[in-house]
Amino acid sequence: MSAEPASKRLVVEAKAISLTFETADGRVEALSNVDLQIAEGEFVSFIGPSGCGKTTMLRVIADLQQPTSGTLLVNGMTAENARLARSYGYVFQAPALFPWRTIEKNLKLPLEIMGFSENEQQIRAERYLAMVNLKGFERKFPWQLSGGMQQRVSIARALSFDPAMLLMDEPFGALDEIVRDHLNEQLLQLWKSTEKTVLFVTHSIPEAVFLSTKIVVMSPRPGRIIDIIDCDFPADRSLEIRETPEFLKIAQRVRNGLRAGHSYDE
């Protein structure tokens, strides 16, 4: 038996996860029999059509929604215990910054809630704002920053308490392509420097292929995993890799999976 699978511990173990909820129009099956394993240090993107359960799966892992059936371990514990242990930072589609707080004070908010000392809050604020290239903007307010800069503050805030995982729900979806490309490169550098496990929801095939070590392709509702694609591009890749045959081959496989709506038979 190969020893390779044991080289990294699993931080997400999902088995037969299903989630059904009631709406005014009847029962909705958001997730159906999802099996997924994510190893420490991976960058995993979830891609699929709107309403396929990408965000729902992220919320289940974060214990913001509870599955109807199945079992789930997050960082070796239940999702609830992982949430209570602050095992993850969550980056939403919108930056969700308080307009009356400066950038520095927005970043410090979770640290204040968690009871970090003033000195430690300051050290972490300086460290993580520098990490997302926002040193010098500490006294600015959110409305004085561009959308891309605001989202970088949101990422720094999610990292500020040093969680094991970073959960990102389409953080760049509302940004223009030029800004998005720039933030993709910055996020890749951030992932390399922090060695965090990243779970990333996106609608963009190029974004998923560029960023990921693994891409999870999901079907239309009920949300199922129809393909899991490994990406083994070099860690120091640049945007130019998107023009290579290897990149285009993986992108086409993702596109075919989305179009077919069923597993590959390879």
Side-chain angles (χ1 to χ4, degrees):
M1 180 181 292
S2 171
E4 188 176 349
S7 60
K8 293 278 188 178
R9 72 181 184 91
L10 294 178
V11 293
V12 174
E13 295 180 79
K15 296 180 181 178
I17 294 292
S18 295
L19 191 153
T20 303
F21 56 89
E22 298 289 343
T23 71
D25 298 321
R27 292 169 64 84
V28 172
E29 194 175 4
L31 295 171
S32 177
N33 203 38
V34 171
D35 292 327
L36 181 64
Q37 293 185 334
I38 296 173
E40 186 177 30
E42 286 193 291
F43 194 119
V44 180
S45 287
F46 295 80
I47 191 167
S50 295
C52 74
K54 304 182 299 297
T55 293
T56 300
M57 189 63 200
L58 207 65
R59 289 174 62 83
V60 166
I61 292 168
D63 193 44
L64 300 178
Q65 287 182 265
Q66 285 70 47
T68 308
S69 61
T71 60
L72 175 64
L73 289 178
V74 179
N75 221 22
M77 61 191 89
T78 66
E80 180 183 16
N81 286 341
R83 173 176 57 80
L84 295 173
R86 303 179 180 125
S87 295
Y88 63 84
Y90 205 111
V91 180
F92 296 91
Q93 294 180 25
L97 303 175
F98 290 111
W100 60 87
R101 292 179 72 112
T102 64
I103 296 308
E104 182 178 82
K105 288 185 176 179
N106 264 286
L107 186 147
K108 287 181 177 180
L109 182 59
L111 303 177
E112 291 174 15
I113 294 170
M114 293 176 191
F116 284 84
S117 69
E118 284 283 347
N119 184 57
E120 183 64 19
Q121 288 180 36
Q122 190 61 38
I123 291 171
R124 287 175 180 249
E126 291 175 3
R127 178 193 307 158
Y128 288 101
L129 284 176
M131 193 175 286
V132 296
N133 297 318
L134 285 176
K135 186 175 175 59
F137 290 87
E138 296 87 351
R139 304 292 185 268
K140 301 290 186 183
F141 288 90
W143 55 269
Q144 296 176 297
L145 272 60
S146 68
M149 294 170 79
Q150 289 183 36
Q151 200 58 287
R152 279 151 56 193
V153 177
S154 181
I155 293 169
R157 181 179 58 190
L159 289 170
S160 65
F161 52 94
D162 197 27
M165 296 188 299
L166 191 59
L167 310 184
M168 309 183 76
D169 186 7
E170 265 195 285
F172 309 142
L175 304 175
D176 67 65
E177 188 175 359
I178 294 172
V179 173
R180 189 171 186 153
D181 283 351
H182 180 60
L183 290 180
N184 279 180
E185 288 186 303
Q186 287 197 325
L187 179 57
L188 198 62
Q189 292 298 321
L190 193 65
W191 170 64
K192 284 166 53 184
S193 64
T194 63
E195 299 183 333
K196 298 292 183 189
T197 307
V198 180
L199 280 61
F200 187 90
V201 169
T202 181
H203 276 100
S204 168
I205 295 175
E207 183 172 67
V209 179
F210 177 70
L211 290 172
S212 308
T213 59
K214 180 185 291 181
I215 302 169
V216 176
V217 184
M218 297 189 69
S219 71
R221 189 178 293 150
R224 295 173 294 110
I225 293 177
I226 57 176
D227 200 6
I228 297 178
I229 304 166
D230 290 322
C231 301
D232 58 355
F233 297 122
D236 59 349
R237 57 193 177 273
S238 65
L239 289 170
E240 284 67 34
I241 201 170
R242 296 184 302 186
E243 307 303 321
T244 64
E246 295 80 9
F247 186 99
L248 296 173
K249 182 179 179 182
I250 292 176
Q252 187 59 44
R253 176 169 168 177
V254 175
R255 191 171 291 109
N256 289 344
L258 294 172
R259 186 181 299 126
H262 56 74
S263 297
Y264 282 84
D265 210 7
E266 295 183 344

